[in-house]
Amino acid sequence: DMDFVAVKLAEKIYDRKPIALGDSNQIQTRDIVYALGYPEDSISNKNYNTRDDVSTVDGTISKVTVTENVDIIEHTAPLNIGNSGGPLLDENDNVVGINTFIAGKKNYSIQINAIKKGLDTFGIPYVDGSGTSPIADTGMDTDEDAKNEEPEEPDNTAILVELQDAV
């Protein structure tokens, strides 16, 4: 089962740029990917975390497949307790997966297109890095719009959070 939730922030975030959701149909075996997260050993003694605490590890896509009706990416970017639920990025910094679980020495992420279907179903806006849907629908400006207009207040951002069972 895939259990995810989109969280609407109570306050606007002014100093962060939303990360774009890519197109997992465009990834291939041997593409380089990056798993981001907060490793347990680096945050266990803290009350809160900052972007300086984010760990990034790279790896290569081994397989793009469907297992038990779930679109997954098998890759070599090492996952651990702290980066499960975090983004799996492609070389263009677009999210192509959500880091999910480890089985043996294999690392797995849910393909982002499966997540985007859910966001679309519920009308939840996001920045689409694949170029297949207009960014204007998300209420966020493109880089070209930003050059031509004065900056506007950003909208509250939807954050994708995984609610996972113990694996």
Side-chain angles (χ1 to χ4, degrees):
D1 288 333
M2 288 193 326
D3 295 324
F4 293 91
V5 63
V7 177
K8 185 173 183 179
L9 301 176
E11 296 180 21
K12 295 177 182 178
I13 298 177
Y14 294 96
D15 61 342
R16 300 285 190 268
K17 179 181 174 187
I19 193 163
L21 305 185
D23 183 355
S24 53
N25 289 335
Q26 299 300 313
I27 59 175
Q28 300 177 6
T29 301
R30 297 191 308 254
D31 283 355
I32 297 190
V33 289
Y34 304 89
L36 278 64
Y38 294 92
E40 182 180 39
D41 61 345
S42 70
I43 63 168
S44 59
N45 295 325
K46 294 184 168 191
N47 292 327
Y48 63 90
N49 299 297
T50 68
R51 65 178 161 196
D52 294 333
D53 297 317
V54 174
S55 172
T56 304
V57 293
D58 65 336
T60 305
I61 295 176
S62 308
K63 186 188 318 184
V64 180
T65 189
V66 176
T67 300
E68 297 181 23
N69 296 323
V70 178
D71 298 336
I72 60 169
I73 304 165
E74 179 184 309
H75 56 85
T76 62
L79 298 183
N80 59 52
I81 292 171
N83 57 11
S84 178
L88 184 71
L89 304 179
D90 65 13
E91 289 188 296
N92 297 313
D93 292 333
N94 292 312
V95 179
V96 294
I98 301 294
N99 302 324
T100 307
F101 66 95
I102 306 164
K105 293 186 178 187
K106 297 181 180 181
N107 307 285
Y108 296 93
S109 300
I110 303 295
Q111 294 181 36
I112 199 61
N113 287 5
I115 305 300
K116 287 167 52 174
K117 284 179 191 174
L119 295 173
D120 292 341
T121 297
F122 293 102
I124 299 170
Y126 55 89
V127 176
D128 191 333
S130 66
T132 59
S133 69
I135 293 175
D137 289 346
T138 67
M140 295 177 213
D141 292 333
T142 63
D143 288 339
E144 191 61 34
D145 291 338
K147 291 177 190 174
N148 298 325
E149 297 178 12
E150 293 195 25
E152 294 181 17
E153 254 183 41
D155 291 331
N156 285 357
T157 306
I159 296 180
L160 199 59
V161 178
E162 179 181 5
L163 301 175
Q164 28 177 36
D165 298 326
V167 178

